[in-house]
């Protein structure tokens, strides 16, 4: 269908505060926010400030190649974080959306066993996700437009750069 869930930067600000409030109200105080790049970086930064957590880590995962088109399985790209960094830590995995949930499951499984506790926070969760995140701002089954990826990358405009 052509129906889209549109998240703007304006709505994103409120969404992050509400998501963080839910986590705080639940009493979860993460030592580390582990973001799934690239979309989860925005979420992790906002949550880490709102939850007063100063430690952010990042894992790059590649899965989607277009609207609704994916690789067979998500893959973690190098450099993969050192699991030692998370040992005995309370980890909050942050991503923009749990769609199939395969990306979050990959990162969740990576943490499992080495960390003290791991929970997941997303702005959106789709109903068919195989992972049920502890913290979800909104549930939808539409394709979501995120403000950071709705527009194509900028291209260089000829004649705009002054010579040094
Ligand atoms: P999953 O592994 O849960 O299927 O997908 C996770 C990743 O795929 C997300 O972090 C996001 O980058 C991308 N993705 C999945 N669904 C959507 C969507 O509805 N809209 C956008 N823009 N990206 C999505």
């Amino acid at each position: 269908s052509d129906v889209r869930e549109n998240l703007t930067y304006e709505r994103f600000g409120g969404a992050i505060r509400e998501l963080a409030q839910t986590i705080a109200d639940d009493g979860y105080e993460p030592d580390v926010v582990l973001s799934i790049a690239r979309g989860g970086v925005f979420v992790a930064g906002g949550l880490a400030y709102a939850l007063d957590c100063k430690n952010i880590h990042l894992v790059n995962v590649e899965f989607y190649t277009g609207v609704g088109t994916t690789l067979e399985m998500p893959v973690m790209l190098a450099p993969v974080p050192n699991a030692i960094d998370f040992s005995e830590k309370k980890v909050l995995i942050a991503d923009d959306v749990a769609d199939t949930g395969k990306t979050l499951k990959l990162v969740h499984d990576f943490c499992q066993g080495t960390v003290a506790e791991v929970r997941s926070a997303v702005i959106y969760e789709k109903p068919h996700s195989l992972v049920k995140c502890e913290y979800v701002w909104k549930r939808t089954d539409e394709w979501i437009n995120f403000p950071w990826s709705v527009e194509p990358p900028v291209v260089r405009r000829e004649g705009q750069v002054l010579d040094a």
Side-chain angles (χ1 to χ4, degrees), residues 36 39-40 63-64 70 74 95-104 126 129 142-146 149:
I36 306 180
F63 191 24
Y64 280 74
T70 65
D95 206 355
D96 46 6
V97 50
D99 190 319
T100 64
K102 288 179 181 175
T103 299
L104 267 159
K126 309 236 176 143
S129 174
E142 310 295 349
W143 182 263
I144 305 143
N145 285 339
F146 289 103
S149 56

